[in-house]
Amino acid sequence: MTPRDVVPERLVDEAELAGLEGVRLWGDAYSQQIDAIVKAEAQKIRASIALKASSGAKPIANFLAISGGADDGAYGAGLLIGWSAARTRPEFELVTGVSAGALIAPFAYLGERRDVQLGEIFTKYGREDIVTANVLPGLLGGSAVGDSAPLERLIATYVDQRFLQDVARERMKGRVLLIGTTNLDAQRPMLWDMGRIAMSNHPNALALFRKVLLASASVPGAFPPVRIQVRAGGRIYEEMHVDGGVTQQVFLAPSGLVFGDVDQAVGTRIARQLYIIRNGKVTPEWQSVDEKTVAIAGRSISTLIKTQGIGDLYRIYSTAKRDSINFNLATIPADFVVKSEAPFDRNYMASLFECGYLQARQGYPWLKAPPGLGGTTSAAPSKCSPRSASSRHAFQPGQAAYVRSD
């Protein structure tokens, strides 16, 4: 790989994409930046409220935040499609996604008409469709032990020019889709306004849209980082972006945003409902660990990720309480016992997908707080009753309903 011209530290905050200015912001952006964005969006928010009022609807804003989780993302995909089947899934004014959640979020943003495609991504493909082993070069100085070219091709299969146009159309209505990546040089979260990218009509808009999704899903070490070219100080540099879950397993908005300020800007008190899909368990999972370096390191990292994810839920819950947002959380149930034989095991993902689907189809019992704060740490029976990992699941082309074939 060719050497990278890294953005100097003094220019990090002014780095922009040439011709695509204003399509991203830091996840820890300071208040002046947030205020400017709120003012810029206020007119669209007012128009959306007026449209709802004209039809007799109350000004309620529904938010959806989807976490990372690698192959556990199958749970979130199944839950969303089961939610559609239950005919209770709302349209979301704001959708955010990280890592596996970044691959789900654009489909969730576009609504039920993209359910079949979303279902295919998490039931039709396996490890060979997502990553190619690249172990030896990765261990001898390369950037990863896997090659993400298969995942890149998979994203391109579904995210085409028409997909981009659909996202642009929804952004024009004031609805927002944010995808999180991690700028590894800066050690900071970056949030990408995917609708603004789609609306830009820039010749590189489609390529950038795909690249952001790939970057957000690029688990460090497993997948190579994604380079994104920017301009700063009159020169061209390259940033290095990886999995958004490195800095945030799940997020609602830039940390500096106060939703009360949005209400003040639009002149209306907006009722808000937040739905979080945590593609993982929040309960401890016992496992006998070998006294070997790789096993100890792997178990420690997975425990760290789980703990970080729970911490993110606490952070979002605190924001929701402050801003009077109705908090709702879904997680993989503790009694889901099917085990993955390898990363991106198709049978495992299909079983997990079915679990999420059945839970939502039968009416998901949303948790009203994170574990330890009124949420649950030992979930009741989940209604999934997952069968063995040998069950086969599929979506039939052209059908919006979930179909299982044994």
Side-chain angles (χ1 to χ4, degrees):
M1 182 169 286
T2 58
R4 182 170 60 96
D5 201 355
V6 180
V7 181
E9 183 178 0
R10 71 181 187 281
L11 298 177
V12 163
D13 282 330
E14 68 177 75
E16 285 279 9
L17 288 84
L20 283 160
E21 294 81 4
V23 300
R24 65 185 196 164
L25 75 160
W26 294 111
D28 55 1
Y30 49 85
S31 59
Q32 292 92 327
Q33 289 178 299
I34 301 297
D35 290 344
I37 292 170
V38 169
K39 289 177 182 177
E41 293 295 320
Q43 185 174 349
K44 286 182 180 178
I45 296 172
R46 281 193 290 267
S48 176
I49 292 171
L51 182 63
K52 288 183 178 180
S54 66
S55 62
K58 294 181 180 180
I60 297 176
N62 293 297
F63 300 158
L64 175 66
I66 312 171
S67 83
D71 45 9
D72 283 348
Y75 175 76
L79 189 142
L80 280 163
I81 296 170
W83 201 354
S84 296
R87 300 291 183 260
T88 55
R89 177 174 153 189
E91 180 178 81
F92 302 104
E93 278 66 41
L94 169 66
V95 178
T96 73
V98 166
S99 195
L103 301 180
I104 298 170
F107 297 89
Y109 177 77
L110 293 179
E112 297 177 16
R113 66 185 183 275
R114 293 285 180 172
D115 278 359
V116 171
Q117 292 178 309
L118 176 59
E120 286 180 353
I121 290 172
F122 285 93
T123 61
K124 183 178 178 180
Y125 304 100
R127 183 172 65 256
E128 68 279 3
D129 304 298
I130 296 170
V131 63
T132 300
N134 196 31
V135 178
L136 190 58
L139 294 176
L140 297 178
S143 59
V145 297
D147 181 358
S148 59
L151 178 58
E152 188 173 5
R153 289 192 294 270
L154 183 60
I155 291 171
T157 298
Y158 289 93
V159 179
D160 55 16
Q161 195 63 46
R162 182 174 179 179
F163 193 100
L164 204 69
Q165 291 168 355
D166 288 346
V167 171
R169 189 178 304 112
E170 296 306 313
R171 185 64 179 90
M172 289 176 198
K173 299 175 185 176
R175 299 177 61 229
V176 178
L177 170 63
L178 296 178
I179 298 299
T181 64
T182 296
N183 182 318
L184 209 52
D185 294 314
Q187 210 173 49
R188 296 170 67 186
M190 181 69 76
L191 309 185
W192 299 81
D193 188 332
M194 305 301 276
R196 285 196 175 277
I197 295 174
M199 288 195 306
S200 69
N201 293 319
H202 192 280
N204 294 330
L206 179 59
L208 178 62
F209 196 104
R210 292 169 172 172
K211 185 174 283 191
V212 170
L213 296 182
L214 179 64
S216 187
S218 292
V219 179
F223 294 134
V226 174
R227 295 184 180 189
I228 295 180
Q229 195 174 86
V230 296
R231 179 180 292 276
R235 283 188 53 189
I236 299 297
Y237 298 97
E238 283 186 310
E239 296 174 340
M240 179 187 289
H241 287 259
V242 298
D243 188 344
V246 171
T247 43
Q248 300 178 117
Q249 280 292 309
V250 63
F251 72 96
L252 171 58
S255 56
L257 177 63
V258 177
F259 286 93
D261 294 342
V262 177
D263 291 346
Q264 187 173 358
V266 301
T268 303
R269 176 73 178 271
I270 303 171
R272 297 180 175 88
Q273 298 190 109
L274 167 63
Y275 299 92
I276 301 174
I277 299 176
R278 175 68 183 112
N279 290 306
K281 293 181 180 179
V282 296
T283 50
E285 299 170 83
W286 189 90
Q287 176 184 316
S288 176
V289 180
D290 290 339
E291 285 192 75
K292 296 181 180 178
T293 302
V294 173
I296 294 170
R299 180 64 168 172
S300 298
I301 290 170
S302 67
T303 302
L304 178 64
I305 291 170
K306 172 179 279 191
T307 305
Q308 177 199 357
I310 293 172
D312 287 334
L313 296 177
Y314 275 79
R315 172 177 49 80
I316 295 173
Y317 181 73
S318 176
T319 298
K321 294 294 284 185
R322 180 197 67 193
D323 294 342
S324 300
I325 300 173
N326 184 8
F327 181 96
N328 299 275
L329 170 65
T331 72
I332 295 177
D335 64 355
F336 180 80
V337 295
V338 177
K339 301 297 183 183
S340 176
E341 298 298 325
F344 303 106
D345 176 351
R346 273 189 70 186
N347 288 324
Y348 170 76
M349 290 194 294
S351 294
L352 191 54
F353 176 96
E354 182 186 30
C355 174
Y357 176 88
L358 290 175
Q359 281 192 301
R361 180 69 181 85
Q362 298 169 30
Y364 188 82
W366 295 91
L367 307 179
K368 304 307 292 183
L373 288 179
T376 181
T377 55
S378 56
S382 63
K383 301 182 183 179
C384 307
S385 300
R387 294 179 306 280
S388 70
S390 62
S391 297
R392 298 182 59 194
H393 312 70
F395 271 85
Q396 298 301 321
Q399 293 185 5
Y402 170 75
V403 177
R404 176 179 61 81
S405 58
D406 291 315

